[in-house]
Amino acid sequence: MEALQNTPHEMPKQQQKTGKSLYQTIWRWHFYAGIIFTPFLIILALSGAVYLFKPQIENTLYKDLYFVESKGEKLAVSKQMDAVKQAYPSAVIAAVTVRDEANRTNKVSVLEKGKMFSVYVNPYTGKVVGELQPEKEFMTIFKKLHSELIVGGTVANRLVELAACWAVILLATGLYIWWPRNKASIWGTVLPRLNKRGRTLWRDLHAVPAFWLTGGILLLIVTGLPWSGVMGEQINKLATATHTGYPTFSFGFGPKPESATLTKDIAKDVPWATENLPVPASQINGYVPLSVDDINKVARAENIKAPYTLSMPQGPKGVYSITTSHTKPGDNATLHVDQYSGAVLSDVRYEDYGVMAKGITLGIALHEGRLFGLANQLLGLVICLGLIGICVSSFVMWRKRKPINKAGAPAPIKDKRVRIGVMIIMLLCGLIMPLVGISIIAVLILDKLIITNIKPLRNWLSA
């Protein structure tokens, strides 16, 4: 009875203590995740901000390659390819990108001595204007920085994905820390207290923009994950398993090909939704292969919107592929055409995609800044610059509160139930984002085997 009588008075104190422990624990996770992954997020935001303006930047840098004076009638595509063959007699032409603009060159993808590069042709005269090696293109450098931290390889790609996934957790934990627990006030909550100084000002410059930009940052992360190695593969498997990717009736012109060759292996500028579309085979029936001009007529007859890419057949059973990706999502198309008869063996357009593939396609266009033009680019730029500002303000905050010879982390709490509860939540996040789960397990092992046994390191990491 006495215990029951004391409960109403003691419960608020207990709840307050538990709430404080939970806040402290989540803040500790937020702190360490920020310290580790903030540099990577700055790199992603900076490279992404530049890549948003890829069309404008490339049109300026490569105007001598991209633009010509329009005069007369354009030559047939085959004539333009012949000019490239004369300029590069030992090269193999892999694909040609056809554009409709009157003042633009056409791009021919050429393979010579094991290296692929782009050759630009004046469509009126057939003159080769110049060439570009993809690895030396300005935007390729930023794309590689954005996806592989320049160094390239699987490890770098996974590290970028890990940083992106942890950014989701940083957003969630940051919102929890930001959430007002007392009487709500717009100052310091939704508007920064610019009249303050020191840590209070920097806290507001960190928390308030982060609150306003959380949705946009999360959207950019989610729309970028389909390209990632681990999550991207899981997303693709989910789309396939739920039949919300490319449609089964895309093989309506014949039996579904049991081919190990995928569209991304033999064609260029392939939309995400059809990268793993199996490639059908041409029927060898004694006919002479069609010319690229005939396939270009097929593209026109099928109302494929330019710019589109014609990829050449690979071998006697190979097919011509007609693809377009880096345009408006609704213009996406992937066609495979029999190289002898000109029959369309496979035809997949945006309207044929499943719900998930449509959503991802729209998301990719949004991520790249081409879903709704300049406004999309400017919106992405604001989010990227805002993320950089959030990261910089967090670093300043840390330096201002960091004691000498200490990491400056929030103190670990003694409430075992709270620590275990938060750990379970984090591991559940790890089930959704496998790299996060692996990293948490790795940190736990590192803490148990190394950190706890090295006193200076243990002291530095503690508050």
Side-chain angles (χ1 to χ4, degrees):
M1 288 293 292
E2 186 177 356
L4 291 173
Q5 289 174 349
N6 291 337
T7 299
H9 303 285
E10 293 175 356
M11 277 299 290
K13 292 182 180 179
Q14 183 62 35
Q15 287 176 348
Q16 188 177 12
K17 186 178 178 181
T18 301
K20 186 177 180 181
S21 296
L22 181 60
Y23 180 92
Q24 195 81 353
T25 303
I26 290 176
W27 183 16
R28 191 171 169 85
W29 276 98
H30 184 82
F31 173 85
Y32 280 119
I35 289 292
I36 295 169
F37 293 107
T38 286
F40 298 104
L41 296 179
I42 291 175
I43 291 172
L44 289 176
L46 179 60
S47 57
V50 174
Y51 199 80
L52 282 167
F53 295 90
K54 181 177 185 286
Q56 292 93 330
I57 293 172
E58 288 188 333
N59 286 348
T60 300
L61 290 177
Y62 307 121
K63 61 182 180 180
D64 293 336
L65 293 177
Y66 285 7
F67 298 99
V68 293
E69 184 182 350
S70 59
K71 50 184 179 181
E73 293 291 326
K74 289 186 178 181
L75 298 174
V77 175
S78 61
K79 296 290 185 183
Q80 298 174 45
M81 291 173 61
D82 287 342
V84 174
K85 289 175 183 176
Q86 288 181 0
Y88 302 88
S90 63
V92 175
I93 293 178
V96 57
T97 300
V98 179
R99 307 188 69 98
D100 277 349
E101 298 98 321
N103 66 336
R104 286 297 298 263
T105 57
N106 284 336
K107 182 177 76 173
V108 180
S109 299
V110 171
L111 180 64
E112 186 177 47
K113 297 179 181 178
K115 289 187 176 182
M116 186 77 72
F117 56 95
S118 301
V119 176
Y120 294 86
V121 185
N122 185 322
Y124 299 99
T125 65
K127 179 183 177 181
V128 173
V129 177
E131 66 177 61
L132 268 180
Q133 296 180 7
E135 65 273 11
K136 293 183 180 179
E137 289 183 32
F138 182 76
M139 296 312 299
T140 298
I141 296 171
F142 279 88
K143 183 177 181 180
K144 196 168 183 180
L145 177 63
H146 193 71
S147 62
E148 299 177 337
L149 303 175
I150 288 292
V151 296
T154 302
V155 174
N157 180 266
R158 298 298 184 269
L159 195 56
V160 167
E161 181 179 350
L162 182 63
C165 291
W166 269 102
V168 176
I169 295 176
L170 278 168
L171 290 173
T173 54
L175 276 178
Y176 179 85
I177 296 167
W178 166 89
W179 199 266
R181 281 156 182 77
N182 300 314
K183 186 178 180 180
S185 170
I186 62 170
W187 300 108
T189 306
V190 295
L191 290 175
R193 292 165 287 188
L194 298 177
N195 60 329
K196 297 291 184 180
R197 293 292 180 268
R199 282 172 53 188
T200 301
L201 175 62
W202 284 104
R203 177 265 175 204
D204 286 5
L205 292 178
H206 175 74
V208 174
F211 161 69
W212 285 109
L213 293 175
T214 288
I217 295 171
L218 183 61
L219 189 61
L220 283 185
I221 293 170
V222 171
T223 53
L225 287 177
W227 286 303
S228 62
V230 178
M231 286 293 292
E233 184 62 27
Q234 298 303 316
I235 291 169
N236 184 56
K237 286 181 179 178
L238 179 62
T240 302
T242 56
H243 304 292
T244 54
Y246 62 77
T248 54
F249 59 80
S250 61
F251 309 105
F253 302 100
K256 179 178 177 178
E258 300 299 330
S259 173
T261 304
L262 304 178
T263 300
K264 63 182 179 183
D265 299 327
I266 56 98
K268 293 185 172 295
D269 298 328
V270 182
W272 178 89
T274 54
E275 283 183 344
N276 295 308
L277 190 73
V279 179
S282 294
Q283 298 297 314
I284 303 175
N285 47 21
Y287 294 144
V288 176
L290 298 172
S291 72
V292 69
D293 294 330
D294 294 320
I295 304 305
N296 194 37
K297 289 178 183 177
V298 172
R300 299 295 186 184
E302 296 293 336
N303 295 315
I304 307 300
K305 299 291 179 65
Y308 54 81
T309 299
L310 309 174
S311 297
M312 304 301 115
Q314 296 182 12
K317 290 189 175 183
V319 294
Y320 279 103
S321 297
I322 307 170
T323 52
T324 178
S325 173
H326 294 288
T327 55
K328 294 180 180 179
D331 294 338
N332 276 9
T334 304
L335 282 71
H336 295 304
V337 181
D338 189 298
Q339 66 169 302
Y340 304 104
S341 66
V344 178
L345 304 177
S346 177
D347 184 350
V348 186
R349 313 293 177 98
Y350 174 80
E351 57 267 24
D352 299 325
Y353 297 170
V355 174
M356 193 169 177
K358 282 183 177 178
I360 291 172
T361 300
L362 291 173
I364 289 173
L366 176 70
H367 191 91
E368 292 185 333
R370 54 184 174 83
L371 185 59
F372 45 91
L374 181 61
N376 190 166
Q377 293 174 307
L378 294 176
L379 177 63
L381 179 64
V382 168
I383 295 171
C384 289
L385 294 180
L387 178 56
I388 293 172
I390 292 166
C391 292
V392 170
S393 60
S394 69
F395 178 78
V396 174
M397 270 200 309
W398 172 52
R399 295 301 300 174
K400 284 185 173 293
R401 76 179 299 274
K402 179 185 175 302
I404 299 174
N405 298 325
K406 292 280 188 179
I413 57 100
K414 296 180 180 179
D415 193 327
K416 193 174 181 180
R417 293 174 306 161
V418 173
R419 291 205 315 269
I420 293 174
V422 173
M423 179 59 70
I424 290 172
I425 293 172
M426 297 300 293
L427 289 174
L428 288 174
C429 292
L431 289 177
I432 300 171
M433 299 176 285
L435 288 182
V436 169
I438 293 171
S439 65
I440 292 174
I441 293 170
V443 168
L444 291 175
I445 294 172
L446 184 68
D447 180 57
K448 204 73 174 175
L449 298 181
I450 298 177
I451 295 175
T452 55
N453 295 318
I454 303 176
K455 189 174 181 180
L457 182 59
R458 187 175 70 247
N459 291 338
W460 187 80
L461 290 172
S462 62

